[in-house]
Amino acid sequence: MEKQTITIYDVAREANVSMATVSRVVNGNPNVKPTTRKKVLEVIDRLDYRPNAIARGLASKKTTTVGVIIPDVTNLYFSSLARGIDDIATMYKYNIILANSDQNDQKEVNVLNTLLAKQVDGLIYMGHKITDELRAEFSRSKIPVVLAGTVDPDEQVGSVNIDYEAATEQVVSELVAKGHQRIAFVSGSQTEEPINSIYRMKGYKKALADAGITFDESLIFETEYTFSAGEEIYSKLAEASATAVFVGDDELAVGVLNGALDHDVRVPEEFELVTANNSKLTEMVRPKMSTITQPLYDIGAVSMRLLTKLMNKEEVDEKTIILPHNVANRGTTK
Amino acid sequence: MEKQTITIYDVAREANVSMATVSRVVNGNPNVKPTTRKKVLEVIDRLDYRPNAIARGLASKKTTTVGVIIPDVTNLYFSSLARGIDDIATMYKYNIILANSDQNDQKEVNVLNTLLAKQVDGLIYMGHKITDELRAEFSRSKIPVVLAGTVDPDEQVGSVNIDYEAATEQVVSELVAKGHQRIAFVSGSQTEEPINSIYRMKGYKKALADAGITFDESLIFETEYTFSAGEEIYSKLAEASATAVFVGDDELAVGVLNGALDHDVRVPEEFELVTANNSKLTEMVRPKMSTITQPLYDIGAVSMRLLTKLMNKEEVDEKTIILPHNVANRGTTK
DNA sequence: ATGAAAGCGCTAACAA
DNA sequence: TTGTTAGCGCTTTCAT
C-alpha cells in the first residue's frame, strides 16, 4: 500500500473550502477571512500537507530556482563566490542548481541547456570566457543572466566584478616603485580569458609604461590554475630572471611561492610575489601572501541580489557593477 | 509581443502525429516507426523545441534532480566530495540542488523541507550530526538518502565513509611508536559529532591503551573548523606540553601548523602533526602535512552512484560503504 | 506503431 | 471573501 501523497484538493475537502482558498492561504494572499484561514491552516497542519513545488512551477511558470555555472567548486575563489550566491538566494527563497563546467565550452552549453529545460528563473555564470554559442543561448532564453567574477567585453548581461585593470596596475606599480625591473605576469590562458588578456594585462603594461620599462614577452606565463602548475613554473621565472611576480590566481600563487621556497629562495627578500584574489589561501601559507583584496563573498552576494531584481523585473540603474578592491601587503612583499 | 514557447503540441501538429508519438521519440521509446521518428525529429529541430522538464516532472513524478546538503562549500573537504557527487550526477543525467547548512540544525531542516517540496528524487547529506528531527524527515519522505563523509550510528540510510576509527588508531600508534607520550587530539565538537566523539576518539584511545599510555583529558581540544581557530589553539597545546597532535580537519590543521611555526617551533623536529582528510591543502603548505589519506572525490562519487541505484530501486548488497584509507607521512612527521 | 484522453498538483483569471 | 474552471506541458494507460 503506497503512502498516498496528500494534495491541495484533500485539504480543500477536509476544510470545506475550495482549492483556490487553500491556495490563497498557502501563498499568503490577504483576501481570506481570518477564521477560514485559521481553519485551513489547522487542516494543513493536521494532514501534514506540503505543497508540490513542481506543480506550482508548472502552473505559475516560476520555479524559484536559479542555475549556477561554476568552473570548479573545489577552487576557493569560485566556492567563495558560490557561498555568497547561495546565502542571498536562500534569503530570497531561491535554491540553486550548481553545475561544474571545468571551463569546458561543450560542458557549459550542455549544462546551460539542461538548466533552461528545468526552467530556472535566472542564471549566474562564473567562468572566464563566454563563447559565442553560450552568448547566443543566453539571449534566446530570455531569462536574466548575471556574471559573477567574470567579465565580458560585450556588456549585454549583468555582471559583478572589481576593476581588474586598476588593481593590477596598482600592484605592479608598487613593485616597480620598489625597484623591480623584471616583473613576471603569471595567469591562466591569455588568449581565452578576457580578464587576463584584456584587463589585467592592460594594467600590467600601463604600470610598466609609466615607469618607462619595456614590456618583455618572456616574462609572461600562462598555465592552468593549480598549485602544482605553479610549482613547476617557478623555475621558468628564475630562468627569465624575474625578481617579482604578479599571479592571477591564489592557488597558482601558492604553487609559485612554494616553488621559490623549495628552491631555497627567500621570500620576500630575494623574490616578491603578489596574488590576485584574497581567498583564505593567502593567509594559510607562510609567508602570508600579499594580494589584491576583493570581496569574494560579496561579489557572489551582490550578483545574486542583482539577479533577484532582474527576475522581478525591477528597475536597476546599473547592471555592470564594480565593487571596490584594495591591496594588502603581507608576507610576500617587502 | 511575447515570444511564444513552443510545446510538444506544436510539434505534434506540425508533424501530423499525436503528442504521444512526439513524447515517444523525445524519450527514445523504440516503438516508433523510423520514418515517423525522422519526421518528428526534423520538426523538433526546425521549431527548436525544448521539452519542459517541470511539466515532465509533474507528469512522471521524477525530476532527475537530487538535493545535496553541505555544511559549507568553501571547506575543501566538503567541496571535494561535492565535486565527485556532481560529476557522477551529471553522468547519470541528474542535476544537484546544492544547499549550505553551516551545520545549523534549523537550517538543515528548512532546506530539507524545501528540497522535498521541490520533489528531488534523492538526497545526499554531508554534515556531522543527524538530529532526530532530521532523521524523522528522512524516513517520512520515502526518497532515498545517502550520507557522504558522514557517519550515523543508526545505519538506516546509505552512507559512504572510510574507517575513521582504524585510521585514527593507525596514525596515533605511529606517533606513539616514535616515542610520543603526550599526543593531543584536536577536532570539532566532540559532543555533537559522532565521527569525533565515537570513531576517532575510539581509535585514539585504543592506540594509547595498546601502548599503556593513560588517557589524559587535558590533551583533548575541540573547536571550529577554521584555520584561525587552529592558530589560536596551538598555544594551548604547548601549555599542555603536547609533543604531537592529531587534527581532525585539514584547514584546522593548517592553523595548528602555522601556530607552531609562528611560535618558532620546528616541525617536525620539535612537534609532529598529522591531519585527517588529505585535501589539497595538505600539499599546499610547507612543510607538507602528513595525513590520513582518503579518496575524497571518490567518496562523493560513490555516494552519488549508490544513490542512483537506490533511486532506481536496484538491489544493493551493502548500503554502508567503507572505502580504503591509508596514511601519508609527509613533512610534518619525522 | 499510433492516437485519445485522463491526469500530475497547482495557479490564476473570472464570476459570484 | 470565496468558488469554478481552465489550463501549465508533459507522461501514460488503454485502445486501436
Side-chain angles (χ1 to χ4, degrees):
Chain A
M1 192 187 80
E2 268 294 316
K3 209 187 303 178
Q4 181 59 53
T5 58
I6 86 119
T7 74
I8 199 173
Y9 180 76
D10 299 313
V11 176
R13 183 171 28 70
E14 285 287 310
N16 288 310
V17 295
S18 69
M19 294 166 55
T21 298
V22 177
S23 177
R24 286 186 189 103
V25 348
V26 167
N27 293 297
N29 183 316
N31 289 6
V32 180
K33 194 172 22 160
T35 61
T36 67
R37 174 188 307 282
K38 185 155 169 291
K39 179 175 60 180
V40 171
L41 250 15
E42 187 273 323
V43 174
I44 284 177
D45 194 55
R46 179 156 55 78
L47 302 188
D48 196 21
Y49 164 69
R50 319 272 187 116
N52 179 325
I54 296 298
R56 206 193 282 228
L58 183 58
S60 69
K61 297 181 169 301
K62 296 182 338 146
T63 56
T64 64
T65 109
V66 307
V68 176
I69 297 181
I70 191 172
D72 182 4
V73 256
T74 71
N75 178 309
L76 230 20
Y77 171 70
F78 292 114
S79 64
S80 301
L81 301 190
R83 188 58 217 262
I85 292 168
D86 188 42
D87 283 0
I88 303 304
T90 301
M91 183 176 300
Y92 285 88
K93 311 288 187 201
Y94 285 91
N95 289 103
I96 65 176
I97 297 186
L98 203 274
N100 292 90
S101 70
D102 288 320
Q103 320 247 49
N104 177 130
D105 296 352
Q106 193 52 57
K107 277 194 194 175
E108 286 182 348
V109 172
N110 289 346
V111 79
L112 176 56
N113 280 324
T114 88
L115 253 18
L116 294 177
K118 294 205 170 169
Q119 315 296 121
V120 293
D121 296 334
L123 184 85
I124 291 190
Y125 174 89
M126 294 176 267
H128 290 301
K129 165 97 183 285
I130 296 181
T131 61
D132 293 338
E133 191 174 358
L134 211 59
R135 203 194 310 280
E137 292 294 337
F138 281 172
S139 54
R140 69 176 286 294
S141 82
K142 86 247 175 201
I143 63 168
V145 175
V146 172
L147 312 180
T150 301
V151 285
D152 186 35
D154 162 301
E155 300 187 348
Q156 290 308 296
V157 299
S159 67
V160 181
N161 290 283
I162 62 164
D163 183 339
Y164 303 106
E165 181 182 333
T168 306
E169 183 185 354
Q170 185 178 341
V171 155
V172 177
S173 291
E174 289 186 15
L175 253 17
V176 166
K178 287 183 214 160
H180 290 283
Q181 291 283 320
R182 297 192 60 74
I183 303 167
F185 179 104
V186 178
S187 74
S189 172
Q190 268 136 42
T191 51
E192 293 280 293
E193 307 175 6
I195 193 172
N196 292 318
S197 60
I198 302 183
Y199 303 95
R200 285 174 176 156
M201 185 53 85
K202 238 189 209 164
Y204 172 78
K205 286 183 173 168
K206 215 157 160 189
L208 294 189
D210 280 358
I213 300 177
T214 314
F215 173 77
D216 181 350
E217 188 73 49
S218 72
L219 285 168
I220 309 302
F221 300 87
E222 52 182 278
T223 182
E224 38 169 356
Y225 292 129
T226 65
F227 70 95
S228 49
E231 291 178 0
E232 283 168 26
I233 225 154
Y234 175 76
S235 20
K236 295 190 188 166
L237 294 184
E239 271 172 40
S241 18
T243 58
V245 62
F246 167 72
V247 186
D249 176 82
D250 292 349
E251 188 173 325
L252 184 54
V254 168
V256 174
L257 174 61
N258 287 335
L261 262 22
D262 291 352
H263 281 76
D264 289 322
V265 172
R266 288 180 307 145
V267 178
E269 293 80 0
E270 303 174 87
F271 185 77
E272 297 194 62
L273 175 152
V274 183
T275 183
N277 295 336
N278 197 32
S279 67
K280 55 187 176 185
L281 236 38
T282 59
E283 307 208 64
M284 294 205 286
V285 294
R286 289 297 181 272
K288 293 183 185 172
M289 296 192 289
S290 298
T291 182
I292 291 171
T293 55
Q294 46 173 313
L296 299 184
Y297 179 92
D298 293 352
I299 290 177
V302 171
S303 301
M304 186 64 212
R305 181 63 184 105
L306 173 58
L307 187 61
T308 61
K309 289 180 184 166
L310 263 19
M311 292 186 296
N312 264 343
K313 304 198 189 311
E314 290 175 29
E315 283 280 321
V316 298
D317 27 280
E318 182 55 69
K319 59 178 191 172
T320 300
I321 299 179
I322 299 297
L323 259 27
H325 68 270
N326 221 314
V327 175
N329 279 300
R330 300 208 266 251
T332 57
T333 47
K334 288 184 233 177
Chain B
M1 191 185 85
E2 267 293 318
K3 210 186 303 176
Q4 181 59 50
T5 58
I6 86 117
T7 74
I8 198 173
Y9 180 75
D10 299 313
V11 176
R13 184 169 29 70
E14 285 287 310
N16 287 312
V17 296
S18 69
M19 294 165 54
T21 298
V22 178
S23 176
R24 286 187 187 100
V25 350
V26 167
N27 292 297
N29 185 316
N31 289 5
V32 180
K33 192 168 29 157
T35 61
T36 68
R37 175 188 306 282
K38 184 152 168 294
K39 179 176 60 180
V40 171
L41 250 17
E42 187 272 323
V43 174
I44 285 178
D45 194 54
R46 177 157 57 76
L47 301 188
D48 194 21
Y49 165 69
R50 320 269 186 115
N52 179 324
I54 296 298
R56 207 193 281 227
L58 183 59
S60 69
K61 294 181 171 300
K62 291 168 2 134
T63 55
T64 65
T65 109
V66 309
V68 175
I69 298 181
I70 191 172
D72 183 4
V73 257
T74 70
N75 178 310
L76 231 19
Y77 171 72
F78 292 113
S79 64
S80 301
L81 302 190
R83 188 59 216 262
I85 292 169
D86 188 42
D87 283 0
I88 304 304
T90 301
M91 183 176 300
Y92 285 88
K93 311 287 184 201
Y94 285 92
N95 289 103
I96 65 175
I97 296 185
L98 202 276
N100 293 89
S101 71
D102 288 320
Q103 319 246 50
N104 178 129
D105 297 351
Q106 193 52 55
K107 278 193 193 177
E108 286 182 349
V109 172
N110 289 345
V111 79
L112 176 56
N113 280 324
T114 89
L115 253 19
L116 294 176
K118 293 205 171 169
Q119 314 297 121
V120 294
D121 295 334
L123 185 85
I124 292 192
Y125 174 89
M126 295 176 267
H128 290 299
K129 165 98 182 286
I130 297 181
T131 60
D132 293 338
E133 190 172 1
L134 210 58
R135 202 193 312 280
E137 291 295 336
F138 282 171
S139 53
R140 67 177 287 295
S141 82
K142 84 249 176 202
I143 63 168
V145 176
V146 173
L147 312 180
T150 301
V151 287
D152 186 36
D154 162 302
E155 301 186 348
Q156 290 310 296
V157 298
S159 67
V160 182
N161 289 284
I162 62 165
D163 184 338
Y164 304 104
E165 180 181 335
T168 306
E169 183 185 354
Q170 185 178 340
V171 155
V172 177
S173 291
E174 289 186 15
L175 253 16
V176 166
K178 288 184 214 160
H180 290 284
Q181 291 284 320
R182 299 191 59 74
I183 302 169
F185 179 106
V186 177
S187 74
S189 172
Q190 266 137 44
T191 50
E192 293 282 293
E193 307 174 7
I195 194 172
N196 291 318
S197 60
I198 302 182
Y199 304 94
R200 286 175 175 155
M201 186 52 84
K202 238 189 205 163
Y204 172 79
K205 286 182 172 167
K206 217 157 157 187
L208 294 189
D210 281 357
I213 299 177
T214 313
F215 172 78
D216 181 351
E217 188 72 49
S218 71
L219 286 168
I220 309 302
F221 299 88
E222 52 181 278
T223 182
E224 39 170 352
Y225 291 129
T226 64
F227 70 95
S228 49
E231 292 178 359
E232 282 168 28
I233 227 156
Y234 175 76
S235 21
K236 294 190 189 168
L237 294 184
E239 271 172 39
S241 23
T243 59
V245 63
F246 166 72
V247 186
D249 175 82
D250 291 350
E251 187 173 326
L252 185 53
V254 167
V256 174
L257 173 60
N258 288 334
L261 261 24
D262 292 350
H263 281 75
D264 290 319
V265 173
R266 289 179 307 144
V267 178
E269 293 81 359
E270 302 175 88
F271 185 75
E272 297 193 63
L273 174 151
V274 183
T275 183
N277 295 335
N278 197 32
S279 67
K280 55 187 175 183
L281 273 182
T282 59
E283 307 208 65
M284 294 207 284
V285 295
R286 290 296 181 273
K288 292 182 185 174
M289 295 193 289
S290 299
T291 182
I292 291 170
T293 57
Q294 45 173 315
L296 300 184
Y297 179 92
D298 293 353
I299 290 177
V302 170
S303 301
M304 186 64 212
R305 181 64 185 102
L306 173 58
L307 187 60
T308 63
K309 288 180 183 166
L310 262 18
M311 292 187 296
N312 264 343
K313 303 197 188 313
E314 290 175 30
E315 283 279 320
V316 298
D317 25 282
E318 181 56 68
K319 58 177 192 171
T320 300
I321 299 179
I322 299 297
L323 260 27
H325 68 270
N326 220 313
V327 174
N329 279 301
R330 299 207 269 251
T332 56
T333 49
K334 288 184 235 181

